[in-house]
Amino acid sequence: MEEDEKQTHGHDGDTSFRLHMVTWNVASADPPDDISSLLHLNSPKKPDIYVIGLQEVYSGPIRFMSDMAFDDAWSLLFMSTLAAQEYFKVSSIRMQGLLLLFFCKLEHVPFIRDIQAKYTRTGLCGYWGNKGAVSVRLSVYGHMMCFLNCHLAAHMHYASERVDEFEHILDTHTYESVKAPTILDHRLVFWFGDLNFRIQDHGMHFVRSCLTNQTYNLLWSKDQLTMMKQKEPIIQQFSEGSLDFQPTYKFDLNSDTYDSSGKKRKPAWTDRVLWRLRPNASERDEEDDEDGDGEERALVRRKAKQQEEDEAFPLKIKQESYTSIMEYGISDHKPVLGIFTIQLRKMFDSPLVRLQAEGDWSADIDSMVLSTTLQPFPCSAWDWIGLYRVGFTSVSDYITYTWVKDQEVSFNEQLVQVYFSKEELPVRGGECVLCYYSAIMQCIIGISEPFTVHESKVAVEEGMFPENINGLDKATAS
């Protein structure tokens, strides 16, 4: 418990969050049986947030069409594994082989808002999604963050093209937001993926000698991303930890042996995790305000407001670990982990809605939810409250739901009773929670404490537990 307290609370009322990031080119392979070490599930320090970025998830036509209708095997594995650890999938996006998943502890879910997921194609003149970027952007306790998973052009001689692709992604990857319409407008940006930068100039013999002797530092100056950072201003804005792990590409399958095929590709740090904390607005921007046009003045005003917010609600980031996991051999790439501590001052610390299950719940009686509005938010006729099993995986993993406006029994401005029909409740009962989903905000804005839905006495007495009983649903039947 003392360790958890040290991990969670920073100085002067600031709060620390542990972020566990994974990037892995899985080379069209099916997922492994066990991802415990990939997620550090046996570590005493539990992350608040998991972000998983994969590249080359298999996207053959038959598999891809089925994945469009259902979650792919990789997503299902991460969802089931992390749900068992009480993590919730907040958002995900897939563009052919690129997949990005964002999970967090359930306690943080009502404080994660402004969620949008986007993609940008760069392969084959921008028409094919074999290369490009997918992103999830959101606010965490009011701080705008963007997670950008990229798969850039391959091959040794395309370093400049990779930079061009990245700049194109930054220029065209936009969001429906006044506060942060572009990637670089976000307070904190993570750029990761198979960036495909290689080690140039050094010959194969020298590279392999450095790897054998673990003198990785002798290779850093010829790493193309490091070289590009010296001359490309946009890349200079991004930070990266030391490459103190062996290059993660290219391996023979199911081994720790670098490419022994006829091509004998040179090892490289293709798989990377970088980050950018938004710089302070400069005095020059403010000076330019006086002579600029209306659009420029609006931009400067926005930056000035950002500056005020940054000073009132500071955010710091520290990388705790940057390494690879060598035990996985299903791909010619090894996965790379970046573990961070993010210390921030919350802009708000209470949810918009508080939910409470009233009285005893079972499939024998109609039930009520007490919904209390704690702060104003944009309501809609499409807002709903869902009933979930404890350990649910995502917002769509509900047992049942009810429309708030349709099922209001009594109300005033702050307090609403919402009705659940007994026919919709699980006859077998179980430990459950209630979640309020805002249709306009497109996120969960309130979660109840766990409570027990009791097993139906009527069903027990009458032996009514066949598959066709009223109230059985996907969660109950399982």
Side-chain angles (χ1 to χ4, degrees), residues 184-232:
L184 297 183
D185 288 321
H186 290 74
R187 185 77 182 275
L188 182 59
V189 177
F190 290 93
W191 173 35
F192 54 100
D194 181 359
L195 308 187
N196 253 323
F197 290 101
R198 310 303 173 98
I199 298 171
Q200 72 179 49
D201 298 335
H202 291 312
M204 180 70 82
H205 179 75
F206 179 76
V207 170
R208 298 242 170 160
S209 174
C210 291
L211 301 187
T212 300
N213 298 324
Q214 296 186 5
T215 52
Y216 307 132
N217 59 306
L218 299 180
L219 301 174
W220 293 346
S221 65
K222 296 301 181 182
D223 166 70
Q224 287 180 335
L225 183 54
T226 303
M227 297 169 72
M228 285 295 173
K229 196 168 187 177
Q230 294 174 357
K231 62 179 183 178
E232 296 289 346

Side-chain angles (χ1 to χ4, degrees), residues 57-291:
V57 174
Y58 179 66
S59 56
I62 295 176
R63 174 80 69 84
F64 187 64
M65 290 307 294
S66 67
D67 289 348
M68 292 291 286
F70 309 100
D71 283 311
D72 62 279
W74 283 95
S75 295
L76 290 172
L77 176 62
F78 282 110
M79 288 167 66
S80 61
T81 301
L82 288 173
Q85 303 288 322
E86 300 184 342
Y87 290 91
F88 171 86
K89 190 190 81 172
V90 173
S91 184
S92 65
I93 183 170
R94 181 172 179 190
M95 182 186 73
Q96 288 187 220
L98 273 170
L99 175 65
L100 179 57
L101 302 160
F102 183 104
F103 297 86
C104 75
K105 287 182 178 178
L106 194 61
E107 67 196 71
H108 302 308
V109 170
F111 306 99
I112 296 181
R113 304 170 190 169
D114 307 308
I115 305 164
Q116 291 185 46
K118 295 285 184 177
Y119 65 86
T120 296
R121 297 185 179 98
T122 58
L124 291 180
C125 303
Y127 290 106
W128 188 242
N130 62 321
K131 295 290 192 295
V134 291
S135 72
V136 168
R137 60 71 63 90
L138 35 72
S139 70
V140 178
Y141 292 90
H143 295 264
M144 299 300 298
M145 301 183 188
C146 181
F147 298 86
L148 182 69
N149 173 23
C150 292
H151 192 185
L152 303 181
H155 305 304
M156 176 69 73
H157 302 298
Y158 290 141
S160 295
E161 283 79 359
R162 288 187 270 278
V163 175
D164 291 342
E165 284 185 348
F166 180 52
E167 291 180 338
H168 172 74
I169 290 164
L170 293 179
D171 288 341
T172 60
H173 207 96
T174 57
Y175 309 95
E176 291 81 39
S177 168
V178 174
K179 191 173 182 180
T182 72
I183 292 170
L184 297 183
D185 288 321
H186 290 74
R187 185 77 182 275
L188 182 59
V189 177
F190 290 93
W191 173 35
F192 54 100
D194 181 359
L195 308 187
N196 253 323
F197 290 101
R198 310 303 173 98
I199 298 171
Q200 72 179 49
D201 298 335
H202 291 312
M204 180 70 82
H205 179 75
F206 179 76
V207 170
R208 298 242 170 160
S209 174
C210 291
L211 301 187
T212 300
N213 298 324
Q214 296 186 5
T215 52
Y216 307 132
N217 59 306
L218 299 180
L219 301 174
W220 293 346
S221 65
K222 296 301 181 182
D223 166 70
Q224 287 180 335
L225 183 54
T226 303
M227 297 169 72
M228 285 295 173
K229 196 168 187 177
Q230 294 174 357
K231 62 179 183 178
E232 296 289 346
I234 194 65
I235 297 180
Q236 290 168 10
Q237 296 181 29
F238 286 82
S239 302
E240 184 180 20
S242 296
L243 299 170
D244 289 325
F245 53 93
Q246 66 189 87
T248 52
Y249 174 84
K250 172 181 170 67
F251 289 88
D252 293 342
L253 295 184
N254 301 306
S255 79
D256 292 341
T257 303
Y258 284 103
D259 187 14
S260 62
S261 71
K263 293 183 178 180
K264 287 188 170 54
R265 289 188 179 86
K266 197 191 305 183
W269 286 289
T270 56
D271 310 285
R272 312 287 277 268
V273 177
L274 298 92
W275 70 94
R276 173 189 183 267
L277 192 59
R278 188 176 63 209
N280 292 333
S282 67
E283 293 180 7
R284 179 175 185 115
D285 284 336
E286 295 177 9
E287 292 170 2
D288 289 347
D289 177 32
E290 301 304 321
D291 301 319

